[in-house]
Amino acid sequence: MQDYPQQVRDRLINYRQLFQKELIETELSQISTLEEKLDKTTIAIAVFGMVSRGKSSIVNALLGQKLSETGATHGITQDIAIYTWNASNKIQLQLIDTQGIDEVGGEERAAIALATAKQADLILFTIAGDMTRLEQEAIANLQKFYKPILLVFNKVDLYPDCDRLVIYQSLQSPELQKLISPEEIILVSAEPKPVKVRVQYSDGRSQEIWEPTFPDIQDLKQRILDLLNIEGKELLAMNVLLSLLEIQNSVTHRHLAKLRSATAIAAAIFITEAIGVLISPLPWLDGAISFGFNGLLALWAIGKYPTQRNYLWLMAIIAIACGTGGLGIQNEIARYIQILGAGLSIHFLFQGLMNDIDHSRASGMWGAKNLIADILRHVSSGSILQRFHQSGEI
Ligand SMILES: Nc1nc2c(ncn2[C@@H]2O[C@H](COP(=O)(O)OP(=O)(O)OP(=O)(O)O)[C@@H](O)[C@H]2O)c(=O)[nH]1
Ligand SMILES: [Mg+2]
């Protein structure tokens, strides 16, 4: 079996080394956080869904303590809350309670909840009845980001046994099976209502009392732990790679923007230099012009593309050679050599830039894409990642 977390760690370290100077501060700290996550084998599980579906109640039931506030009104949870869940001695688990995604006036909070879910390794998507259109869209959206989801059907205590069967079957309609397969659906009651029972005393008296109930959460707990035991490392590796992919995409994006600005600058430099060389009356002035222009261009490029330093030194040497080399030769020929030198150094500048972009690309040798594809190619048939197996190119 492949040690994916180790391969991902290597990729992170190499990428950081290669782009130390290119990465902005937030990206560097993101990479450090990802490394730490791999080192500590920390799995983050986000409980996500619409308001009042019982997300906080599920968090409490799994933790075995009432740490998150719950309540009948919508929008009880206003901030993300992260709890340590001591359910496994092999992996560190975090349970993340999120805000409801449809709270009236809570669009900003919904966006935070979604962003949190996208960072998580596993999502417990909570519903408490027939699935709404918004819930289906939210699941499809998360799956676009390769997020593994368990569908938690909460509040089953509210349904008589026969209704549960109907609901369970309705969740397995062909349309919904495209989103969630039957093995990914778990029925729970995280905070069941107390039940009214009639107590019959031996003296003939009887009385109705509210009997406390206990969460029915064991199936979910077991499913999560089994899943993490078998494929926790793949989920962790996948998630870290998806974050690395985002970083690599923004670095490439910046490089492309630089390339666009460099094209105009380089063209202007080349034209000015060529005109300067052609009209200058003195050979030493030709040399000075091409030496100055090419040298400046080379230094600018070396400063701007530190990852391609070796490549760009070559360009600087050409610039110097052309600037000084032309001096001893006949005036006319020297001019053309100098212009050729300018053209060549610009060519090398762009080679360096293209090389830089290639290295920063997510699909390059140290890119996240090919390892993601490798993990997806090798998932076993019962895996929660199986649904992404056919997704092809990420
Ligand atoms: N009958 C029943 N009620 C439940 C169950 N789980 C939660 N509830 C109730 O549903 C209501 C909402 O529960 P919360 O856990 O606060 O729901 P939430 O999804 O976190 O809500 P927001 O934070 O507002 O989005 C509360 O009144 C809970 O007591 C359950 O299993 N059965
Ligand atoms: Mg809540």
Side-chain angles (χ1 to χ4, degrees), residues 209-269:
I209 57 163
W210 288 101
E211 194 165 76
T213 48
F214 298 96
D216 174 8
I217 203 82
Q218 193 50 33
D219 285 355
L220 176 63
K221 187 174 174 182
Q222 202 51 53
R223 180 77 173 85
I224 297 172
L225 293 180
D226 288 348
L227 189 144
L228 295 182
N229 263 335
I230 297 167
E231 49 184 334
K233 286 189 170 176
E234 276 81 353
L235 295 192
L236 183 64
M238 252 315 256
N239 193 24
V240 171
L241 282 169
L242 288 167
S243 302
L244 177 63
L245 182 67
E246 258 180 49
I247 296 173
Q248 291 180 325
N249 284 340
S250 44
V251 172
T252 306
H253 191 74
R254 281 204 298 276
H255 277 162
L256 287 171
K258 274 186 195 172
L259 182 64
R260 272 190 288 278
S261 70
T263 318
I265 295 172
I269 290 179

Side-chain angles (χ1 to χ4, degrees), residues 52-57 70-71 75-77 154-155 157 189-191:
S52 264
R53 297 307 195 255
K55 300 179 293 300
S56 304
S57 308
T70 63
I76 294 282
T77 304
N154 187 29
K155 308 195 187 184
D157 57 297
S189 45
E191 202 173 277

Side-chain angles (χ1 to χ4, degrees), residues 146-305:
Y146 292 77
K147 287 287 130 187
I149 296 173
L150 287 178
L151 186 73
V152 184
F153 189 107
N154 187 29
K155 308 195 187 184
V156 283
D157 57 297
L158 297 180
Y159 298 89
D161 284 346
C162 58
D163 283 359
R164 288 188 202 187
L165 200 65
V166 173
I167 290 167
Y168 196 66
Q169 278 164 353
S170 79
L171 288 172
Q172 295 177 9
S173 70
E175 196 195 342
L176 290 180
Q177 272 203 29
K178 283 188 209 138
L179 291 176
I180 286 286
S181 42
E183 319 71 76
E184 293 161 350
I185 305 170
I186 298 116
L187 306 186
V188 302
S189 45
E191 202 173 277
K193 293 271 168 280
V195 284
K196 211 181 218 181
V197 287
R198 175 167 289 279
V199 187
Q200 192 75 46
Y201 297 105
S202 49
D203 60 6
R205 277 185 313 115
S206 71
Q207 189 190 7
E208 274 193 338
I209 57 163
W210 288 101
E211 194 165 76
T213 48
F214 298 96
D216 174 8
I217 203 82
Q218 193 50 33
D219 285 355
L220 176 63
K221 187 174 174 182
Q222 202 51 53
R223 180 77 173 85
I224 297 172
L225 293 180
D226 288 348
L227 189 144
L228 295 182
N229 263 335
I230 297 167
E231 49 184 334
K233 286 189 170 176
E234 276 81 353
L235 295 192
L236 183 64
M238 252 315 256
N239 193 24
V240 171
L241 282 169
L242 288 167
S243 302
L244 177 63
L245 182 67
E246 258 180 49
I247 296 173
Q248 291 180 325
N249 284 340
S250 44
V251 172
T252 306
H253 191 74
R254 281 204 298 276
H255 277 162
L256 287 171
K258 274 186 195 172
L259 182 64
R260 272 190 288 278
S261 70
T263 318
I265 295 172
I269 290 179
F270 178 67
I271 292 167
T272 322
E273 180 180 350
I275 295 172
V277 169
L278 285 173
I279 62 172
S280 101
L282 302 164
W284 69 264
L285 193 57
D286 291 357
I289 289 172
S290 49
F291 182 79
F293 273 84
N294 291 14
L296 275 179
L297 189 63
L299 287 177
W300 171 77
I302 288 164
K304 218 156 182 182
Y305 303 99

Side-chain angles (χ1 to χ4, degrees), residues 2 30 36 149 180-181 257 269 290 298 306-307 310 313 321 327 354 367:
Q2 304 257 28
Q30 272 172 328
E36 201 180 323
I149 296 173
I180 286 286
S181 42
I269 290 179
S290 49
T307 44
N310 292 343
W313 276 122
L327 288 176
M354 297 311 291

Side-chain angles (χ1 to χ4, degrees), residues 18 23 73 84 111 125-126 161 240 243 301 328 388 394:
L18 205 56
L23 291 159
T73 46
T84 304
F125 196 103
T126 308
D161 284 346
V240 171
S243 302
F388 308 118
I394 173 160

